Amino acid sequence: MSEDLGKLVDQIAHMDPDHEGEEQKVIAVQTEALDERQLALLLEALPLEDRLQQWGRISDAQKPLVLVELKNDARLSILNNQSESELEGLFSELSPEELIECSDNLPDSLIDLALNQMDQKQRLHFESSNQFEENCIGRYADHELLVLPQNAKVFDAWRLLRREVPECTDALFLTDRVGRYAGTVPFEQLYGAPGHIPLAELIDEEAEALPGDTLLFDSVEVQEQSGYVLLPIIDAKGMLIGRMTFKDSVQILREKHEADMLAQAGLSEDEDLFSPIIKSSLRRATWLGINLLTAFLASWAIGLFEATLQQVVALAVLMPIVASMGGIAGSQTLTLIIRGIALGQISRGNLGPLMIKELWVGGLNGVFWSAVIGGIAYVWFSDVMIGVVIAVAIALNILAAAVSGVLIPVILDKFKIDPALSGSVILTTVTDVVGFVTFLGLGTLLLLNP
Amino acid sequence: MSEDLGKLVDQIAHMDPDHEGEEQKVIAVQTEALDERQLALLLEALPLEDRLQQWGRISDAQKPLVLVELKNDARLSILNNQSESELEGLFSELSPEELIECSDNLPDSLIDLALNQMDQKQRLHFESSNQFEENCIGRYADHELLVLPQNAKVFDAWRLLRREVPECTDALFLTDRVGRYAGTVPFEQLYGAPGHIPLAELIDEEAEALPGDTLLFDSVEVQEQSGYVLLPIIDAKGMLIGRMTFKDSVQILREKHEADMLAQAGLSEDEDLFSPIIKSSLRRATWLGINLLTAFLASWAIGLFEATLQQVVALAVLMPIVASMGGIAGSQTLTLIIRGIALGQISRGNLGPLMIKELWVGGLNGVFWSAVIGGIAYVWFSDVMIGVVIAVAIALNILAAAVSGVLIPVILDKFKIDPALSGSVILTTVTDVVGFVTFLGLGTLLLLNP
């Protein structure tokens, strides 16, 4: 499927825009077969001009669905290029759930436009979702619920089920008179139950309701453990406000994965392939600036040994090797510990044994690679002492990397800073500085003629 | 929840092993409340001795379930420390699905042991799963199916449903006389349907069966789009061999996320916190070796300019800054393109515009940071020309990084090499070498006294 998308991008790029020919019909047929997620991916893959043209070819019914799927930057690039009347048409079609999904970074005027088109019930749904933060499950509650009053009977349930069952539904919810959640009745309890039995007797006591302020990632866990396809979401007063389905779980995990991968390079999850140049540049500049500070620290460490470098230029040549080996070894430990922290596996109780194990692993690799690199350096510069200096420096730096790899994420986590984001910058700074200082320091001691 | 796990690890670490006291009872009560996934996380978080002791306290009924959840290294560490009779007890309890999940790296003798305890039907299930590769959905097919013959009627379905409905089930499957998949009947079609209607008339024509050799990640996509909670899995002959539920989707995404994060540091997904030291060291050595090659390339590039470095030692001091800025800028572009490739968004058609955009972003950041760094270098070394040399080198290196960040992953992908794995090593090599050569080359041209 993803290959087809690439081909389509190709065809659109090579299309003659001034000539409505056979080619364009082929493209039109192919895009019609795409669902909203694929259409969003296609639009994001196109430079602005082509993107707007393809957007114009999407049916009015699909446009709101595609809008929701687009990344923020891509969505804004399209909205900024629509006329007033086009925007009105588009925003009068949005459901409360869709409006919430794309409400970040949206001008208030557009949100008001959409709200004005909604009926009272839809507006209430929007308000109910909008009370929750962006990282809470309540914000993304789906309002297609099967709900019955607490005193309803089995035949009431059947009457409801015969009318229509929303997608991905394997239970119905009961509420009290004011709308507070009162229990979950799995459909399977209905099969074979006599019609006059009160539904309250069929409630699954183990089924839990999800408070709306549950963090997205935590709610995936709750759902996975529940064994239910959908979970009721309640607000602080216990009112049933919506449901979370397994599709939400899949989407949350997918987006978390993407965001984590991008964050490691200091990129925003809003960024798409053709985000505006100025916006992209500014966002990326921050990360470059942070890394520049650490690079200057490394330079400063080297600067302490200017006199040594002047006399033994081989040290300058070999410097990157010491820094690189420490950085790589450290990032291996760091990654393992970060995963452990994310899974809740790290505590004061196992920190000691973990450190010992990582020091052993670092020690073994340190000894082995020191010997290899020391040997190569000796042959390269025909100087035994240079081999010794780099071998010792590398062994020490790999051990320092093991210690930092364990401690840095644990300390960051203590201070509530996400180690996945900043851990590797700090680690590299440590291994760079330790590496340069030990290497050049040893060089000063052992290689300089007094 | 993940905080509780940490506390438990703490308590176990500080427990007096020789004294069965109040403390141990508290721990026992807490571990009993954990499900199999949490128990597996707990065991992985403990050093070997504590791990084995805690394993001994898990009930026999839960042991097989926990075994399945453990990472390979942790599982082997436990199995290697069980007596023959304990292993026999454990492996006689495994279901075909559980045996498949933990069969990688398992000695054949243990697999045979488990197979011998199974009945004919279970063995067939095992064989049917085992015919598929590790990365295919057929291998993980769940065999708890609701199946009826193609000519069954609605009342047959009700008779089946009243008996028992497996967890997460919203449809039943029809097969022909020899067991070939013939269609999916969603439960909602049954609600209100008269009993004498043939089920074949209620088949959802849009419901698709998943071929067993579908890649795991692709099958998540199929399931997400299907709107079904479960999908039938068929083999090459069209026989219905099992089902995939949304729980599988969640698990596949979770594991893919973990594996991707670990792979970036050259770690295996089997690795747990307390993997055996020798095994860990050997695995990590490979990645260190690969990175060493690239570090030597950088050193070689520096070595070309030994004479220059001897005369202008400031160049040696500033070298890391040039390399670092190029590496960071490049990895930002690289990450963006790798995501685009994973989503199928990159093709020859948009490569040109993408390159132009990335060059603009790189150009803007290059100009800005060149000015900043050039200024600092000028003040630091009181030498205008050093400022000019580093400014030009950084601007050029950031541009080279933008080009490499786009091209390297695209070329790797063409050769069917996963760019997420090797892209960043190759990129860093390029930015290091280009950075050092332009910086020291310019220094040679502009700073050396002829």
Side-chain angles (χ1 to χ4, degrees):
Chain A
M1 184 221 84
S2 57
E3 277 170 29
D4 298 348
L5 203 60
K7 266 185 218 154
L8 211 48
V9 172
D10 258 2
Q11 288 171 341
I12 292 170
H14 295 117
M15 188 174 72
D16 178 0
D18 302 323
H19 182 71
E20 282 280 341
E22 204 50 44
E23 242 178 352
Q24 311 224 345
K25 272 184 217 148
V26 174
I27 294 172
V29 169
Q30 285 182 289
T31 42
E32 264 165 43
L34 300 180
D35 66 17
E36 46 273 17
R37 191 160 159 259
Q38 293 165 323
L39 279 171
L41 289 174
L42 176 67
L43 291 175
E44 285 163 7
L46 298 173
L48 191 56
E49 203 178 321
D50 291 345
R51 185 186 285 176
L52 292 173
Q53 201 173 40
Q54 281 306 314
W55 169 259
R57 292 165 190 269
I58 295 174
S59 72
D60 285 345
Q62 253 186 324
K63 273 180 180 167
L65 302 170
V66 175
L67 202 64
V68 170
E69 294 285 338
L70 284 170
K71 290 181 191 68
N72 275 339
D73 279 4
R75 185 188 302 134
L76 283 177
S77 77
I78 287 173
L79 292 179
N80 288 340
N81 284 284
Q82 304 295 301
S83 71
E84 195 94 350
S85 70
E86 282 167 324
L87 284 178
E88 270 176 41
L90 192 55
F91 275 77
S92 63
E93 297 293 328
L94 286 184
S95 72
E97 289 91 348
E98 287 159 1
L99 182 61
I100 277 282
E101 285 270 6
C102 55
S103 67
D104 319 337
N105 302 332
L106 219 58
D108 284 345
S109 61
L110 284 180
I111 295 182
D112 288 341
L113 188 66
L115 283 176
N116 282 335
Q117 308 287 335
M118 289 183 188
D119 60 27
Q120 177 66 9
K121 199 174 144 199
Q122 289 178 308
R123 262 197 297 271
L124 280 176
H125 280 166
F126 178 83
E127 295 306 333
S128 134
S129 298
N130 204 28
Q131 68 181 299
F132 296 104
E133 298 288 324
E134 265 174 60
N135 56 354
C136 294
I137 188 68
R139 190 169 178 88
Y140 308 99
D142 174 315
H143 302 286
E144 266 192 295
L145 292 171
L146 291 181
V147 187
L148 283 173
Q150 183 166 37
N151 55 5
K153 299 208 159 69
V154 168
F155 55 69
D156 297 314
W158 282 116
R159 204 180 305 140
L160 186 67
L161 289 189
R162 275 186 209 118
R163 239 183 294 145
E164 208 201 330
V165 181
E167 204 181 65
C168 300
T169 307
D170 63 355
L172 57 84
F173 303 130
L174 301 183
T175 52
D176 68 9
R177 265 184 317 161
V178 292
R180 270 188 304 248
Y181 170 75
T184 296
V185 178
F187 287 174
E188 52 179 287
Q189 291 292 327
L190 301 174
Y191 307 151
H196 63 276
I197 299 252
L199 289 174
E201 288 181 17
L202 303 178
I203 286 177
D204 176 357
E205 297 297 340
E206 285 182 21
E208 270 178 282
L210 206 56
D213 57 1
T214 310
L215 293 177
L216 293 177
F217 205 57
D218 292 341
S219 53
V220 174
E221 198 120 322
V222 175
Q223 179 175 52
E224 206 185 347
Q225 276 164 27
S226 77
Y228 277 96
V229 170
L230 78 176
L231 289 182
I233 302 177
I234 54 175
D235 68 9
K237 293 188 194 116
M239 303 290 283
L240 179 65
I241 54 175
R243 64 170 194 166
M244 171 197 190
T245 72
F246 86 92
K247 282 203 169 188
D248 297 313
S249 287
V250 169
Q251 205 185 335
I252 289 168
L253 288 178
R254 207 192 277 287
E255 283 173 10
K256 166 115 172 102
H257 187 178
E258 270 197 27
D260 281 359
M261 300 303 271
L262 292 172
Q264 288 195 323
L267 292 172
S268 145
E269 56 187 310
D270 294 338
E271 183 124 0
D272 75 293
L273 288 172
F274 289 103
S275 283
I277 287 166
I278 302 285
K279 215 170 176 179
S280 273
S281 305
L282 282 173
R283 283 193 198 129
R284 298 196 201 172
T286 319
W287 192 240
L288 283 164
I290 293 170
N291 279 277
L292 179 60
L293 283 179
T294 79
F296 264 115
L297 265 172
S299 280
W300 163 81
I302 299 172
L304 300 176
F305 301 93
E306 271 190 59
T308 312
L309 285 168
Q310 204 139 26
Q311 284 187 51
V312 195
V313 81
L315 293 177
V317 174
L318 293 171
M319 280 189 322
I321 295 175
V322 182
S324 157
M325 292 303 275
I328 298 293
S331 77
Q332 295 189 319
T333 304
L334 182 82
T335 306
L336 204 64
I337 303 293
I338 287 177
R339 180 181 66 174
I341 290 176
L343 295 173
Q345 293 179 302
I346 311 280
S347 80
R348 223 175 305 164
N350 55 8
L351 216 50
L354 255 178
M355 184 75 90
I356 293 169
K357 177 223 156 193
E358 286 300 318
L359 280 172
W360 267 105
V361 172
L364 289 178
N365 266 309
V367 167
F368 175 70
W369 289 112
S370 287
V372 171
I373 297 166
I376 296 175
Y378 160 58
V379 172
W380 189 350
F381 295 98
S382 317
D383 185 335
V384 181
M385 283 318 277
I386 285 194
V388 172
V389 167
I390 196 168
V392 175
I394 281 182
L396 290 177
N397 202 20
I398 289 183
L399 288 179
V403 175
S404 327
V406 174
L407 289 186
I408 289 172
V410 171
I411 292 169
L412 287 175
D413 188 55
K414 264 264 173 299
F415 288 102
K416 310 264 173 225
I417 303 169
D418 182 4
L421 251 175
S422 42
S424 103
V425 179
I426 301 178
L427 178 96
T428 321
T429 312
V430 172
T431 52
D432 277 3
V433 171
V434 171
F436 291 139
V437 169
T438 47
F439 181 51
L440 299 176
L442 278 170
T444 309
L445 286 175
L446 300 177
L447 297 173
L448 282 203
N449 303 318
Chain B
M1 184 220 82
S2 57
E3 277 170 30
D4 299 347
L5 203 60
K7 268 186 217 152
L8 211 47
V9 171
D10 256 2
Q11 289 171 342
I12 292 170
H14 294 117
M15 187 174 71
D16 178 1
D18 301 323
H19 182 73
E20 279 281 340
E22 205 50 44
E23 239 180 352
Q24 309 224 346
K25 272 184 216 148
V26 174
I27 294 173
V29 169
Q30 284 182 292
T31 43
E32 263 165 42
L34 299 180
D35 67 16
E36 47 273 15
R37 189 157 161 260
Q38 293 165 322
L39 279 172
L41 289 174
L42 176 67
L43 291 175
E44 285 162 8
L46 298 172
L48 190 58
E49 204 177 320
D50 291 344
R51 186 185 285 177
L52 292 173
Q53 201 174 39
Q54 282 304 315
W55 169 258
R57 291 163 190 269
I58 296 174
S59 72
D60 285 347
Q62 254 186 325
K63 274 180 181 167
L65 302 170
V66 176
L67 202 65
V68 170
E69 293 286 338
L70 284 170
K71 291 182 189 68
N72 275 339
D73 279 4
R75 186 187 301 133
L76 282 178
S77 76
I78 288 172
L79 293 179
N80 288 340
N81 283 286
Q82 303 296 299
S83 71
E84 195 95 351
S85 69
E86 283 169 324
L87 284 177
E88 270 177 38
L90 192 57
F91 275 78
S92 63
E93 298 293 328
L94 286 184
S95 72
E97 290 90 348
E98 287 160 359
L99 182 61
I100 277 283
E101 286 269 4
C102 55
S103 68
D104 319 336
N105 302 331
L106 219 58
D108 283 347
S109 60
L110 284 180
I111 295 182
D112 288 341
L113 187 67
L115 283 176
N116 282 335
Q117 308 287 337
M118 289 182 188
D119 61 26
Q120 178 64 13
K121 199 175 146 198
Q122 289 178 308
R123 262 198 296 273
L124 280 177
H125 281 166
F126 179 83
E127 294 306 332
S128 132
S129 298
N130 204 27
Q131 67 181 299
F132 296 104
E133 298 289 324
E134 266 174 58
N135 56 353
C136 293
I137 189 66
R139 190 168 178 89
Y140 308 98
D142 174 316
H143 301 286
E144 266 192 296
L145 291 171
L146 290 181
V147 187
L148 282 173
Q150 186 165 36
N151 55 6
K153 299 210 157 69
V154 168
F155 56 70
D156 297 313
W158 281 116
R159 205 178 306 140
L160 187 66
L161 289 189
R162 276 184 210 122
R163 239 181 296 145
E164 207 202 330
V165 182
E167 205 181 68
C168 300
T169 307
D170 63 354
L172 57 83
F173 304 130
L174 302 182
T175 53
D176 69 8
R177 266 183 318 162
V178 292
R180 271 188 303 249
Y181 170 75
T184 295
V185 178
F187 286 174
E188 52 178 287
Q189 290 293 325
L190 301 174
Y191 306 151
H196 63 275
I197 300 254
L199 289 174
E201 289 181 18
L202 303 178
I203 285 178
D204 176 357
E205 297 297 341
E206 285 182 20
E208 269 179 282
L210 206 56
D213 57 1
T214 310
L215 293 177
L216 292 178
F217 205 58
D218 292 341
S219 53
V220 174
E221 197 120 322
V222 175
Q223 178 175 53
E224 206 184 347
Q225 276 163 28
S226 76
Y228 277 97
V229 171
L230 78 178
L231 289 182
I233 302 176
I234 54 175
D235 68 9
K237 290 185 197 122
M239 304 290 282
L240 179 64
I241 54 174
R243 63 169 194 167
M244 170 195 189
T245 74
F246 86 91
K247 284 204 169 188
D248 296 313
S249 287
V250 170
Q251 206 186 334
I252 289 168
L253 288 178
R254 209 191 276 289
E255 284 173 9
K256 165 117 172 100
H257 186 181
E258 270 196 27
D260 281 358
M261 299 304 270
L262 293 172
Q264 288 195 324
L267 293 171
S268 145
E269 57 186 310
D270 294 338
E271 184 124 0
D272 75 293
L273 289 171
F274 290 101
S275 283
I277 288 166
I278 302 285
K279 215 170 176 178
S280 271
S281 304
L282 282 173
R283 282 195 197 127
R284 299 196 201 172
T286 318
W287 193 240
L288 284 164
I290 292 170
N291 279 277
L292 179 60
L293 284 179
T294 78
F296 264 115
L297 266 171
S299 282
W300 163 81
I302 300 172
L304 299 175
F305 300 95
E306 270 190 59
T308 310
L309 284 169
Q310 205 137 25
Q311 286 186 50
V312 194
V313 81
L315 293 178
V317 174
L318 293 171
M319 281 190 320
I321 295 175
V322 182
S324 158
M325 292 303 276
I328 298 293
S331 76
Q332 295 189 318
T333 304
L334 182 82
T335 306
L336 203 64
I337 303 293
I338 286 176
R339 178 181 68 173
I341 290 176
L343 295 174
Q345 292 179 304
I346 311 281
S347 79
R348 221 176 306 166
N350 54 8
L351 217 50
L354 255 178
M355 184 75 92
I356 292 169
K357 176 225 159 193
E358 287 298 319
L359 280 172
W360 267 106
V361 173
L364 289 178
N365 267 308
V367 167
F368 175 71
W369 289 111
S370 287
V372 172
I373 297 166
I376 296 175
Y378 159 58
V379 173
W380 189 352
F381 295 98
S382 316
D383 185 336
V384 181
M385 282 319 277
I386 285 195
V388 171
V389 167
I390 195 168
V392 176
I394 281 182
L396 290 178
N397 202 19
I398 288 183
L399 288 178
V403 175
S404 324
V406 174
L407 289 186
I408 289 172
V410 171
I411 293 169
L412 286 174
D413 188 56
K414 265 265 173 297
F415 286 103
K416 309 265 174 224
I417 302 169
D418 182 4
L421 251 175
S422 42
S424 101
V425 178
I426 300 179
L427 177 95
T428 322
T429 313
V430 172
T431 52
D432 277 2
V433 170
V434 170
F436 292 138
V437 169
T438 46
F439 181 51
L440 299 176
L442 278 170
T444 310
L445 285 176
L446 300 178
L447 296 174
L448 282 202
N449 303 319

